[in-house]
Amino acid sequence: MTSTDQSQPLPRDDCFHYQNCWYPVLFVQDWQKNPYSFSLYGQPLLIFRDQQGKWGCLLDRCPHRLAKLSTGQMIAGRLECLYHGWQFETDGKCSHIPQLPVNTPIPRNAKVKSYGVMERQGVLWVWLGEEETAKESDIPIIKDLEDPNCVHTDYVIDFPYEQGYLLENLLDPAHVNISHDRSEFGAKRENAQPLAFQILEVSARGIRSQWRNSRNPQESWKYLDFIAPNLVHYRFSLPNPHWCAGLALYGISLGQGRSRLLMRRYQNFAVNSRQYRWRWLEHLRQSRILEDDLPLIQSQQQMVEKSRDSLQKLYLPLKSSDALVIELRQWFDRYGDSFPYYQGYTSQRTTAIDLSDPLPLDRYSRHTVHCRTCSDAHENMVKTRQIAILMGILLALLAILSPNQSIYQINALIFAILALAIAIAANYTRRKFERTYEKKAHTKLQ
């Protein structure tokens, strides 16, 4: 197998500032609400689209009386605050105040702070720094996705723990065979083994590395990069030099104690196997896999918060499993000064996590509401259940009113039972979109 590294060298910067970065917020295909509210590092923001299709990203706060603009509505392509009807353009300028007398100019400071927003590779990106400094060339795109033959599957989910713990988990291939035993394809606990790591490059812009299993010394290296501040990128060596396959994982901070994962699996071969797969069915599988880790990482964060010690004192790392995890935490030690909060290996900038408004743990709140495909599927299952129950009742009444043992009575009973079965199946599937998977421990007797 080929082991040629096709990635580009990391930019050579001496410092890093978290605001001067593009942040992926949502896959465009999951765009449902106009406006759409979210947060980055606790900053409340919203994205909306005007009648010409132009995107705008604003601070989610009306300059009038600080009402949330995301609760507003779109009027002729402008965002209207529902409190007093002030209307705003995509650049944040107020263009209409209904309470102003005729011919009275709108106050100059009647403006909302705006942020750079751009659509690229099917993702909505937001620039947290000054809007005039945003450059499209700084978006950390995946070059393989520029191949017109490349297909991909996208998935988004929120987690009740900080970005650092999410990135740590994503840079940890050693946990897969244990934590995702039989839930992820190819993951088996008997395959857990020492791993070999090589750190190829470290800079303010991230970490480039490669890794492989140690049992087979002839195994090709797999490439694994961290592109600051949120991209973890797996690239796989393949027998055909024209093939590409990888996994792009964007772990962004919604706020202290909250993070979001945007996942994209891609490949440019065997495209039919992925192109025609039901997206919502794949998402149910992926949700279950990621929920294997959820209680583990949540308890990990709670332990660290409670101890107040550095990770260097708390962790007992192994070079054969934790090399990249420690490298990530040391990266925050070197370059994390600008972050509102972070947890390095020996240093930190953090306060007690505010649990007064905790992120809901149910799958519906963390994934389904953010995914257009799963939201539609969930709604369809609810409607299917309701229609099937109604049909079952009507058919049961028809069976009761039909002559005993007539063909009409028998057929009505058969279809009533079928309608009941459809209602049960739809309800079972509906719950899959709502409830978080709880993994049960299995004890093996020797």
Side-chain angles (χ1 to χ4, degrees):
M1 290 187 179
T2 180
S3 60
T4 303
D5 184 1
Q6 300 294 331
S7 66
Q8 294 294 318
L10 293 169
R12 303 304 301 178
D13 294 332
D14 295 327
C15 60
F16 178 85
H17 199 285
Y18 84 101
Q19 289 183 316
N20 297 327
C21 300
W22 286 102
Y23 288 86
V25 174
L26 194 70
F27 294 112
V28 176
Q29 65 177 320
D30 289 326
W31 175 262
Q32 300 179 75
K33 298 179 180 179
N34 195 15
Y36 175 79
S37 64
F38 63 100
S39 63
L40 287 174
Y41 295 100
Q43 184 84 299
L45 305 172
L46 64 88
I47 289 178
F48 70 101
R49 203 173 192 178
D50 66 15
Q51 288 181 321
Q52 288 71 45
K54 182 181 179 181
W55 297 103
C57 180
L58 306 179
L59 184 66
D60 193 3
R61 187 173 64 202
C62 181
H64 178 214
R65 299 261 289 278
L66 308 186
K68 291 190 69 173
L69 288 172
S70 59
T71 61
Q73 60 186 343
M74 300 302 299
I75 301 293
R78 296 189 294 265
L79 176 61
E80 182 181 84
C81 177
L82 281 185
Y83 199 7
H84 294 88
W86 290 28
Q87 295 180 3
F88 300 91
E89 307 290 340
T90 55
D91 61 359
K93 292 181 180 179
C94 182
S95 55
H96 178 64
I97 298 178
Q99 292 81 15
L100 279 179
V102 178
N103 298 324
T104 302
I106 293 175
R108 287 185 178 182
N109 57 353
K111 183 177 181 179
V112 183
K113 181 174 176 53
S114 64
Y115 298 84
V117 58
M118 190 165 291
E119 178 183 338
R120 186 74 192 276
Q121 290 191 333
V123 179
L124 288 176
W125 301 84
V126 170
W127 179 268
L128 278 186
E130 295 301 321
E131 193 170 357
E132 58 271 15
T133 66
K135 294 186 292 186
E136 183 178 358
S137 59
D138 289 336
I139 295 177
I141 64 169
I142 305 299
K143 289 190 175 181
D144 289 338
L145 292 173
E146 300 295 302
D147 180 354
N149 297 317
C150 197
V151 298
H152 54 84
T153 302
D154 299 337
Y155 171 85
V156 60
I157 192 169
D158 292 347
F159 290 113
Y161 40 80
E162 288 200 33
Q163 177 195 28
Y165 295 99
L166 174 58
L167 293 175
E168 179 182 301
N169 176 253
L170 300 177
L171 283 167
D172 177 25
H175 84 282
V176 174
N177 283 314
I178 300 296
S179 183
H180 304 304
D181 178 30
R182 269 75 181 182
S183 56
E184 175 66 287
F185 177 76
K188 298 178 181 179
R189 62 183 303 105
E190 56 266 29
N191 290 339
Q193 59 189 284
L195 305 179
F197 293 93
Q198 289 186 1
I199 307 300
L200 303 176
E201 185 181 356
V202 179
S203 79
R205 295 302 301 172
I207 304 165
R208 291 182 58 240
S209 71
Q210 58 187 17
W211 70 280
R212 65 183 177 188
N213 295 311
S214 63
R215 284 180 183 170
N216 180 9
Q218 305 303 317
E219 180 178 304
S220 297
W221 289 99
K222 306 175 185 70
Y223 297 99
L224 178 52
D225 298 338
F226 164 62
I227 308 301
N230 51 57
L231 172 59
V232 173
H233 187 199
Y234 283 80
R235 290 167 292 118
F236 308 111
S237 297
L238 299 167
N240 188 325
H242 301 292
W243 288 356
C244 69
L247 181 60
L249 303 155
Y250 300 94
I252 65 173
S253 172
L254 300 178
Q256 198 160 12
R258 298 179 178 220
S259 58
R260 171 171 296 178
L261 172 64
L262 287 88
M263 172 185 290
R264 172 168 280 176
R265 296 180 184 269
Y266 66 86
Q267 63 190 58
N268 68 349
F269 60 94
V271 296
N272 289 341
S273 64
R274 188 168 295 278
Q275 196 171 23
Y276 299 108
R277 194 178 298 172
W278 281 345
R279 187 178 182 229
W280 64 265
L281 196 60
E282 173 67 13
H283 284 191
L284 291 181
R285 185 189 74 86
Q286 193 62 62
S287 292
R288 174 171 174 169
I289 293 169
L290 290 170
E291 286 162 2
D292 286 340
D293 293 332
L294 193 153
L296 303 174
I297 302 175
Q298 191 177 25
S299 63
Q300 174 194 13
Q301 176 177 259
Q302 291 170 350
M303 290 291 185
V304 174
E305 284 289 315
K306 186 177 181 180
S307 70
R308 297 291 181 176
D309 280 332
S310 70
L311 296 184
Q312 186 179 37
K313 293 181 179 179
L314 296 172
Y315 282 8
L316 185 60
L318 302 174
K319 289 184 178 180
S320 55
S321 65
D322 306 304
L324 280 177
V325 169
I326 302 306
E327 194 68 47
L328 171 72
R329 293 301 186 177
Q330 290 176 339
W331 184 92
F332 279 104
D333 287 334
R334 298 188 197 105
Y335 304 110
D337 286 347
S338 70
F339 286 91
Y341 37 82
Y342 74 91
Q343 179 78 55
Y345 196 50
T346 60
S347 63
Q348 63 179 352
R349 178 179 291 129
T350 184
T351 56
I353 295 174
D354 182 11
L355 298 178
S356 60
D357 184 24
L359 183 72
L361 293 181
D362 62 284
R363 186 181 295 177
Y364 183 85
S365 300
R366 294 185 303 103
H367 167 69
T368 304
V369 295
H370 303 296
C371 173
R372 184 166 191 166
T373 304
C374 290
S375 292
D376 290 345
H378 176 267
E379 184 178 349
N380 290 336
M381 293 302 163
V382 171
K383 291 180 180 178
T384 299
R385 175 179 174 269
Q386 293 172 342
I387 293 172
I389 290 175
L390 178 61
M391 292 300 297
I393 293 173
L394 293 176
L395 288 166
L397 289 174
L398 179 61
I400 293 172
L401 298 175
S402 298
N404 289 337
Q405 297 185 357
S406 69
I407 188 65
Y408 299 107
Q409 184 183 49
I410 295 173
N411 287 339
L413 284 173
I414 292 174
F415 284 108
I417 293 172
L418 179 61
L420 176 61
I422 292 173
I424 292 173
N427 190 55
Y428 174 81
T429 307
R430 173 191 63 83
R431 291 164 60 186
K432 290 286 187 181
F433 293 105
E434 299 173 352
R435 298 187 179 183
T436 295
Y437 169 68
E438 296 182 6
K439 188 173 184 177
K440 297 181 180 179
H442 297 282
T443 302
K444 293 186 177 181
L445 298 177
Q446 302 294 327

